[in-house]
Amino acid sequence: MTAISLDTPLARHAGIEVPVICGAMYPCSNPELVAAVSEAGGIGIIQPISLTYVHGHAFREGIRFIKRLTTKPIGMNALIEQSSRSYHERMTRWIDIALEEGVRFFVTSLGNPRWVVDRVSQVGGVVYHDVTERKWAEKGLAGGVQGLIAVNRRAGGHAGAKSAEELITELGGLGVPIVAAGGIGDAEEFLGVLRMGYAGAQLGTRFIATTECRASEAYKRAILEADEDDIVLSERITGVPVAVIRTPYIEKMGLKAGPVARWMLRHRRTKHLMRTAYALRSLWQLKRASLDETGNKDYWQAGRSVGTIEKIEPAGEVVRRFREAVLSRR
Ligand SMILES: Cc1cc2nc3c(=O)[nH]c(=O)nc-3n(C[C@H](O)[C@H](O)[C@H](O)COP(=O)(O)O)c2cc1C
């Protein structure tokens, strides 16, 4: 069996003590949550649209607010799918501000990360890239990233199609650290991925059910109450499958995109238009649903880790428990 340790390549790259990432979450990444995970020895990742649009901070001020809560390393997520020029310009500005403010760990998703790597490596920073299969991993590595985050089929958000075991087999020989994302709700699951050879774990859902997360109490309770089998993939939110908790509202809406949307998503010329329409609508809907206490429109993203999440607790407690579990099992 592989010996496990906290001192993994991820921990060294990010300059952290516990190789745990609080993954970027639109709309759930609020500054207090990001800071709490970093302060406890993991690393919290800023989701720029969540920081600005949902939680109302100007980008630089938001980072400074986090830095008042913790002096430890924080990271930033850059969704770099080729879309509009104005989005690209905005993301470039956000990355430059983050670098000026001392952020040195970046997680890219989608697209070619080369331009992010070029900027970040000039000041000695590190870029990890979210992937769901080897094809994207090779593209990311060609773009110069130093690590990969393997998003498996149990993840919240846009889940992959493969298991954690399949992904470490497929990606483990590529010569860079691989981080597991998906399905990690308790310390045993964390130990499990370290034993498989992962350099750490990226968690989303577990950190929603924390005291620092600003998501509604109804959303947090739904995570505690849901079983793994209550997680379904819905295309109704962004046009591509997103993991959500099955609620009466989700059942009423159905899981598939409507026929017009499906047609538009299939055709090259209308695909981007449809994606943009979905993106704008989903930003608004997810923001409203995550903060709404009435539970009328329960549109709650979560992964299969709901099965092992049992209480709402401070985010730092989760990190500390994972740390202790490793130290006591070495
Ligand atoms: C509510 C929610 C929103 C998410 N939003 C993003 C996002 O904006 N960008 C991103 O790269 N990943 C996003 N993710 C994925 C997480 O960063 C992480 O990889 C995933 O949650 C890991 O799976 P887990 O939820 O089972 O722990 C999101 C996940 C959730 C649950």
Side-chain angles (χ1 to χ4, degrees):
M1 192 185 290
T2 319
I4 54 169
S5 153
L6 293 172
D7 182 23
T8 69
L10 166 68
R12 290 193 289 275
H13 268 151
I16 57 177
E17 193 203 343
V18 190
V20 168
I21 301 173
C22 173
M25 289 186 281
Y26 182 89
C28 300
S29 296
N30 52 285
E32 296 84 351
L33 175 60
V34 172
V37 174
S38 288
E39 184 58 20
I43 188 164
I45 304 292
I46 295 166
Q47 210 292 354
I49 308 176
S50 191
L51 181 66
T52 54
Y53 173 64
V54 180
H55 300 288
H57 298 270
F59 190 67
R60 189 187 296 275
E61 290 316 310
I63 298 183
R64 289 189 174 166
F65 175 44
I66 297 170
K67 283 167 50 181
R68 285 198 294 277
L69 300 174
T70 183
T71 53
K72 299 198 176 160
I74 51 175
M76 171 184 159
N77 176 229
L79 281 170
I80 52 169
E81 188 182 28
Q82 271 230 320
S83 52
S84 67
R85 179 195 289 244
S86 68
Y87 176 78
H88 177 79
E89 283 169 1
R90 177 168 299 198
M91 187 53 78
T92 309
R93 242 188 353 263
W94 279 335
I95 290 172
D96 288 346
I97 292 173
L99 289 170
E100 284 164 19
E101 293 297 326
V103 176
R104 292 292 179 267
F105 187 78
F106 290 78
V107 176
T108 48
S109 310
L110 310 167
N112 181 350
R114 168 55 67 188
W115 66 273
V116 181
V117 171
D118 286 345
R119 285 185 129 71
V120 169
S121 57
Q122 272 177 29
V123 292
V126 173
V127 180
Y128 275 40
H129 192 53
D130 274 339
V131 298
T132 51
E133 58 178 294
R134 190 171 171 117
K135 180 170 74 172
W136 306 124
E138 284 170 353
K139 289 206 167 165
L141 291 175
V145 299
Q146 282 156 285
L148 297 167
I149 300 181
V151 182
N152 65 48
R153 64 174 173 230
R154 299 182 69 217
H158 292 126
K162 300 188 175 172
S163 67
E165 290 84 353
E166 283 168 316
L167 284 170
I168 195 71
T169 308
E170 196 173 301
L171 309 176
L174 290 171
V176 293
I178 313 291
V179 175
I184 298 158
D186 69 11
E188 275 310 313
E189 286 161 328
F190 178 56
L191 294 174
V193 294
L194 292 180
R195 286 194 191 109
M196 279 183 223
Y198 281 99
Q202 171 165 283
L203 281 63
T205 307
R206 171 58 273 193
F207 286 119
I208 299 173
T210 57
T211 46
E212 292 85 356
C213 182
R214 297 270 303 278
S216 70
E217 289 303 309
Y219 189 172
K220 294 179 189 178
R221 261 198 322 276
I223 289 176
L224 302 191
E225 283 161 16
D227 290 327
E228 176 144 0
D229 296 344
D230 295 324
I231 303 302
V232 291
L233 295 176
S234 171
E235 291 173 8
R236 301 287 300 213
I237 301 172
T238 62
V240 288
V242 170
V244 293
I245 301 176
R246 183 173 43 214
T247 58
Y249 181 66
I250 291 285
E251 285 195 332
K252 197 168 80 206
M253 259 191 340
L255 299 175
K256 294 278 169 226
V260 175
R262 264 212 305 276
W263 185 86
M264 286 180 77
L265 284 164
R266 260 203 318 270
H267 290 78
R268 203 161 54 88
R269 284 176 52 198
T270 48
K271 192 166 102 178
H272 280 294
L273 193 65
M274 196 62 223
R275 284 264 181 93
T276 307
Y278 261 123
L280 293 176
R281 196 191 58 169
S282 67
L283 285 180
W284 180 75
Q285 284 178 330
L286 287 169
K287 172 182 174 177
R288 188 189 53 178
S290 75
L291 303 173
D292 174 36
E293 292 290 352
T294 67
N296 287 335
K297 297 257 162 79
D298 350 327
Y299 219 59
W300 294 320
Q301 295 185 79
R304 292 181 170 268
S305 53
V306 290
T308 52
I309 301 175
E310 278 163 7
K311 60 177 178 199
I312 299 169
E313 60 189 325
E317 280 305 310
V318 177
V319 178
R320 282 187 283 276
R321 204 167 49 246
F322 283 23
R323 176 179 178 277
E324 289 311 312
V326 174
L327 293 178
S328 64
R329 282 330 141 80
R330 279 188 306 189

